[in-house]
Amino acid sequence: MSVHDLRCDRCGSAIAGPDQGVRFLYHPGDFLLKDDSGLLCLSCWQATTSWLGGQDAKNHCSVCALAVEHRSSLHIHRAGDPASWQLCRVHAVEFLNGLRTVEPKLELESFTLAADWPGRART
């Protein structure tokens, strides 16, 4: 996939070079379903990682510490970094709706993750 919009996915500011932004990816517990086009300016990345809290809180939401299953959570990675944050459905919707590239905005009541899809085996 080629990415042509070099603007922050949260605030919309232009990102002039590789040292001015952070690439990230997210997936719903299945790496094959990843979206790796995420881009945040340094300020928004810092705010996002502060909100997310600690990385690799395995099977717990990084924001609220709610227990989650691997395939019932949204995983967020900095590009090239295997460590991740996991989010419960509530915080996954909040995170995704904070991205200007997510349109239409998601409704918590209808939001599903990989483990919730028909025909997907739970692990």
Side-chain angles (χ1 to χ4, degrees):
M1 166 193 286
S2 51
V3 179
H4 300 284
D5 184 359
L6 295 178
R7 300 181 95 51
C8 177
D9 288 343
R10 282 188 65 192
C11 71
S13 65
I15 298 177
D19 60 337
Q20 300 299 305
V22 174
R23 282 264 172 228
F24 68 95
L25 63 95
Y26 55 91
H27 61 85
D30 184 339
F31 198 74
L32 295 175
L33 301 173
K34 74 181 182 294
D35 179 332
D36 60 0
S37 64
L39 179 64
L40 294 177
C41 68
L42 296 178
S43 178
C44 286
W45 178 253
Q46 183 177 18
T48 298
T49 56
S50 291
W51 176 73
L52 289 169
Q55 284 182 309
D56 280 342
K58 296 271 189 256
N59 300 318
H60 288 87
C61 176
S62 294
V63 176
C64 69
L66 179 73
V68 294
E69 293 181 34
H70 178 81
R71 294 183 68 152
S72 292
S73 60
L74 185 73
H75 298 249
I76 303 168
H77 302 259
R78 183 177 181 147
D81 186 350
S84 68
W85 294 269
Q86 282 181 264
L87 297 178
C88 64
R89 286 180 66 247
V90 170
H91 290 109
V93 169
E94 185 176 344
F95 171 78
L96 293 169
N97 282 344
L99 301 176
R100 64 183 186 85
T101 52
V102 173
E103 286 294 335
K105 296 304 180 191
L106 306 166
E107 297 290 332
L108 180 59
E109 296 77 28
S110 60
F111 181 71
T112 59
L113 290 157
D116 303 323
W117 298 351
R120 301 293 291 187
R122 293 184 85 117
T123 59

